[in-house]
Amino acid sequence: MAFSADELRVLRRALAIALHPMPLSDEDVQDCLRLAGSVDEAVGEAGRLRAFLLADLARYRNALPGSVTGYLELLQDALAAGYDPRPDDLAALRALRGRPLAAALLERCQILAERSVRARLAGRSAGSAAPGPRGLLLALPGGRAADRDADRDTDRPRTPAAPDRPQAPGDRPMPKPSEVFPPRRRPVPPPSEERAAG
């Protein structure tokens, strides 16, 4: 991702404010919001390009062996963009390993696949959750909104926190299987006539 000279100036200023909070002018706030919007747009565009590249790669892989040249080129581009090779890619490369480029890519993909599996297993054993998508930039510490909130807080008494709202029907927790399907009771056999007579 490349930044223009103006964007770098804004980024440098935002980092300085994050390290040493200070009041922001309206112009600085608008510059930071514009930069955050540009970054979000670039991230979204990169995601769309990646999805297109992976769909193209799958089409070329499905058309093998006739599309071998295009497939190998696309696979190289995808690997350079951080793509984790899938079992289908490894199988396709094994079938094409008579070609020097395919053999080299197979070796590289096997290393990447092993590294990816190890990382997933390490993350699972450590119980670490996968990072979520990056949130939008909503506020900067030390900005004008913080000054307004501080003024507002000193002018008026604090109101007690609102009580928790009642749960809506859609907020109900998922019922347990034992609640939905109670255990069956075995039918009790009716008393026989002999017992009744005796």
Side-chain angles (χ1 to χ4, degrees):
M1 185 181 297
F3 291 101
S4 68
D6 285 341
E7 288 172 335
L8 281 174
R9 177 186 58 76
V10 174
L11 184 59
R12 212 176 285 125
R13 176 112 174 101
L15 290 173
I17 290 165
L19 291 171
H20 306 287
M22 64 182 75
L24 282 173
S25 68
D26 287 337
E27 186 182 349
D28 286 336
V29 171
Q30 291 304 319
D31 286 344
C32 288
L33 290 174
R34 271 194 294 274
L35 178 60
S38 298
V39 169
D40 286 334
E41 189 178 336
V43 168
E45 185 62 27
R48 285 191 290 275
L49 284 173
R50 179 180 170 82
F52 177 79
L53 174 64
L54 295 184
D56 223 12
L57 181 66
R59 279 194 294 273
Y60 273 78
R61 186 175 55 232
N62 292 336
L64 286 172
S67 60
V68 61
T69 305
Y71 171 69
L72 294 177
E73 288 174 5
L74 278 173
L75 183 58
Q76 286 181 93
D77 292 344
L79 293 174
Y83 171 68
D84 277 334
R86 297 178 182 165
D88 291 345
D89 295 306
L90 295 172
L93 289 171
R94 283 190 194 101
L96 300 169
R97 67 179 151 204
R99 295 170 172 259
L101 178 57
L105 280 174
L106 175 60
E107 188 176 339
R108 182 178 171 194
C109 286
Q110 284 173 332
I111 292 168
L112 290 172
E114 286 172 16
R115 195 177 298 161
S116 175
V117 169
R118 280 198 197 110
R120 277 199 300 270
L121 290 175
R124 218 176 275 160
S125 63
S128 61
R134 190 180 75 80
L136 295 175
L137 175 66
L138 299 178
L140 291 171
R144 291 177 67 84
D147 294 340
R148 283 197 299 272
D149 291 343
D151 294 342
R152 232 182 274 138
D153 288 344
T154 54
D155 292 347
R156 67 174 179 205
R158 291 183 180 271
T159 56
D164 292 339
R165 64 177 180 79
Q167 280 192 338
D171 293 346
R172 249 187 99 232
M174 185 71 74
K176 297 178 186 171
S178 60
E179 294 172 349
V180 179
F181 305 105
R184 286 191 198 172
R185 299 183 189 277
R186 291 187 180 172
V188 178
S192 63
E193 293 177 10
E194 293 173 6
R195 286 187 188 167

